[in-house]
Amino acid sequence: MTIPNFSSSESEGGAQLQVEQVQADRTAADPATVLGPQGWPGDSASYQLLFEDAPVGYMVLNRSGQIMRANHAAGAMLGLASGQLEGQQLTHWLHWQQHGQLEALLGTLEGRLLQGGKSAEFKLLRADGQSCYAQVELVVSHNVQEAGPGGSQLLMALSDITALKKAQRDLVHLNQTLESRIEQRTADALSMASEMERFMQSVAHDLATPLRHILSFAGRLETADLNEQSRRSVATIVASARRMETLISALDQLALACNSQLSLTAIDLDRVLDAALKESGNAPGLTLHREDLPRVICDTQSMQTVLRQLLENAFKATDGRPHPTLRIWAEQVGAEIVIYLRDNGRGFNPNYRESMFEVFRKLHPERDFPGEGVGLAVVRRLMLRQGGRIWAESAGQDQGASFTLVLPAAP
């Protein structure tokens, strides 16, 4: 191997170049040189502008919690210029209950325990005396230029969540008062319904007297010497008055059902069904299939009225049908008893299953289904008053019908 022969001057010059190159490399790797003035990397003016004009509040704290730097957004959050914050302790602007939380976070600077950042929520006090809330993201920075050798800083990004906190408080307050407001509105609705029922009963009672007068004088006219046309007119008056008398009686029955006193106890539903069958009788030729019924929580008299009305409804629906059949059974679903009454009678249009529970609403002509259209309205009101539910289903005309009742199960 040939070893180059350098002269003394050349050797000294090469060594000097190597020293200068090493110094240049070290200078390039020096954080102070890379970061530039005040620790800003590269183009300090650009990074300074980015920091100051960011839409999110930024603060830099030292170990003691002193604010070293703050941007415009952080100052605006507290109602100050950013320069007015620098040099102050953050605890001055922090709610006293959170001083301990800040001290714990600053303690992580010593042991370098804050790895990967941390989130917190601070309640801050503004310069005008008002409070605001900030969602804070924190990371530890080791900046030799600013904190000194081995020093650490806490970098904070603050997002104003004051509006969100107010919405959360409003929601909590709404939830806390919702139950009481529901109870109050329920009581108001029940009061109005009770007042309406009393009014209905009063109207039914007050109409009875003038109606009796109409029937009395119309009866006298029937015995008078009238021509044929007049007799037909009087007969129409009497028939209409009788019809009105029936409707008033039905209204009175509905009002009594809605205002009667209830005694909710555990009862044997089979015994109530026996009593209802005895009251309503049995339709000629009807085959009744019944299973054992469980005990439920209800009012005995009200439930007997409900079953009697539904039985009479089934008898009318199956009248004249071939092999009329009615099946009654029940099953327990959770804490409730579901009772079914299913017949193979006339059925109804399923589009009107809610209308059939309205007062004076009938889905069949009078000749096919006699009645005033009050029975099912009474049934629904009695079920609701007992804490139960009822609904009806049918596949259509001549497809039979099913009534489903739900009551609390007896313990």
Side-chain angles (χ1 to χ4, degrees), residues 75-80 93 124-132 160 162:
M77 192 177 299
L78 297 175
L80 295 169
W93 306 100
L124 303 171
L125 302 176
R126 290 171 48 85
D128 59 6
Q130 300 295 319
S131 60
C132 63
D160 193 340
T162 306

Side-chain angles (χ1 to χ4, degrees), residues 70-123:
N71 69 348
H72 296 314
M77 192 177 299
L78 297 175
L80 295 169
S82 59
Q84 294 176 285
L85 290 174
E86 295 178 2
Q88 297 195 38
Q89 293 291 322
L90 180 59
T91 52
H92 180 74
W93 306 100
L94 192 64
H95 192 273
W96 65 269
Q97 291 179 333
Q98 294 185 309
H99 287 183
Q101 183 181 4
L102 178 61
E103 290 175 3
L105 290 170
L106 293 172
T108 62
L109 294 176
E110 289 289 343
R112 301 186 180 183
L113 301 175
L114 191 62
Q115 301 296 330
K118 185 176 179 63
S119 296
E121 187 177 291
F122 284 165
K123 182 178 181 180

Side-chain angles (χ1 to χ4, degrees), residues 204-320:
H205 180 269
D206 293 342
L207 288 177
T209 299
L211 186 59
R212 282 197 301 270
H213 292 165
I214 293 174
L215 287 171
S216 176
F217 284 100
R220 294 183 186 182
L221 288 174
E222 284 183 315
T223 62
D225 186 14
L226 301 173
N227 58 36
E228 187 60 27
Q229 183 178 357
S230 297
R231 286 182 181 279
R232 286 197 299 270
S233 298
V234 171
T236 301
I237 293 173
V238 172
S240 298
R242 294 293 183 195
R243 175 61 177 165
M244 182 179 289
E245 187 177 43
T246 302
L247 296 178
I248 290 174
S249 176
L251 279 178
D252 193 41
Q253 176 189 358
L254 180 61
L256 287 173
C258 295
N259 292 318
S260 60
Q261 295 294 323
L262 296 183
S263 176
L264 300 179
T265 57
I267 65 167
D268 185 350
L269 204 54
D270 269 323
R271 295 179 60 184
V272 179
L273 179 58
D274 290 338
L277 283 168
K278 186 175 180 180
E279 280 187 354
S280 58
N282 200 347
L286 177 75
T287 300
L288 176 62
H289 299 283
R290 56 178 290 187
E291 299 178 8
D292 292 337
L293 300 179
R295 292 169 61 81
V296 296
I297 301 295
C298 68
D299 177 74
T300 304
Q301 189 59 46
S302 297
M303 199 60 202
Q304 185 172 324
T305 301
V306 167
L307 291 177
R308 177 174 54 81
Q309 290 282 5
L310 293 177
L311 288 170
E312 292 176 355
N313 190 77
F315 296 162
K316 294 176 186 178
T318 57
D319 185 30

Side-chain angles (χ1 to χ4, degrees), residues 12-28:
E12 291 176 358
Q16 180 64 29
L17 287 174
Q18 291 178 6
V19 169
E20 291 176 355
Q21 182 63 40
V22 170
Q23 289 178 342
D25 292 342
R26 288 178 178 177
T27 301

Side-chain angles (χ1 to χ4, degrees), residues 310 336-341 348 353-354 356-357 379-380 383 388-394 401-407:
L310 293 177
E336 295 180 322
I337 300 297
V338 183
I339 306 118
Y340 303 93
L341 293 87
F348 56 86
R353 59 176 176 268
E354 288 298 320
M356 65 193 308
F357 292 100
V379 165
R380 169 164 280 186
M383 287 298 297
R389 308 188 300 278
I390 182 173
W391 64 88
E393 296 173 321
S394 177
S402 175
F403 286 84
T404 305
L405 297 80
V406 181
L407 286 168

Side-chain angles (χ1 to χ4, degrees), residues 175-196:
N175 290 334
Q176 291 174 343
T177 60
L178 182 60
E179 185 175 351
S180 61
R181 288 188 289 119
I182 289 175
E183 290 177 354
Q184 182 60 47
R185 291 182 181 179
T186 301
D188 293 342
L190 291 174
S191 177
M192 292 176 62
S194 179
E195 184 179 348
M196 182 62 69

